[in-house]
Amino acid sequence: MRKKGLFRGLYRYWLPTALEMTVMSTFFTGYEVSRRALGPEGLGIPNAMTSFLAGGIAGTIFWTIAFPIEAVKNRLMTQPLDEVRYSGFMHCLKDTVRRQGVSGLYSGFSPAMLRTFPASGATFLAYELVSRALKTLL
């Protein structure tokens, strides 16, 4: 931040983060659609299991879409400041695809998928349980 100034130092790579946040709607939409499909009018799976499975499906959908954005963001943010390789988001995206193909944008995808299903499932299950508990208290 000393070299670039406060504003440029803090907001240098805001675009990938902003793009990733716009994709966040797929996380919540995926949960609602999956929960309704698996719910009482769907397959009839009990509520806790429905929340867990729907959350896992939602996380998988989200990361499948957001992973390339995250990969570019990570490349931008981890490049040394004294050896800047990429001038911005689009330059990094194009260079990655040119050098490694589209698969370069999904490097590390498998471990992320192994993590995301149970983590997202547990997140939405906890949300539903806390939400129900608060409704009974209030």
Side-chain angles (χ1 to χ4, degrees), residues 50-68:
T50 299
S51 295
F52 182 80
L53 289 174
I57 292 167
T60 302
I61 292 167
F62 168 73
W63 280 111
T64 300
I65 296 168
F67 208 83

Side-chain angles (χ1 to χ4, degrees), residues 25-65:
S25 65
T26 62
F27 192 46
F28 297 103
T29 303
Y31 174 70
E32 285 299 322
V33 170
S34 299
R35 187 176 59 81
R36 289 179 185 154
L38 296 169
E41 61 278 348
L43 298 177
I45 302 171
N47 283 339
M49 185 60 79
T50 299
S51 295
F52 182 80
L53 289 174
I57 292 167
T60 302
I61 292 167
F62 168 73
W63 280 111
T64 300
I65 296 168

Side-chain angles (χ1 to χ4, degrees), residues 67 103-113:
F67 208 83
S103 64
L105 298 173
Y106 285 92
S107 179
F109 185 71
S110 296
M113 287 299 101

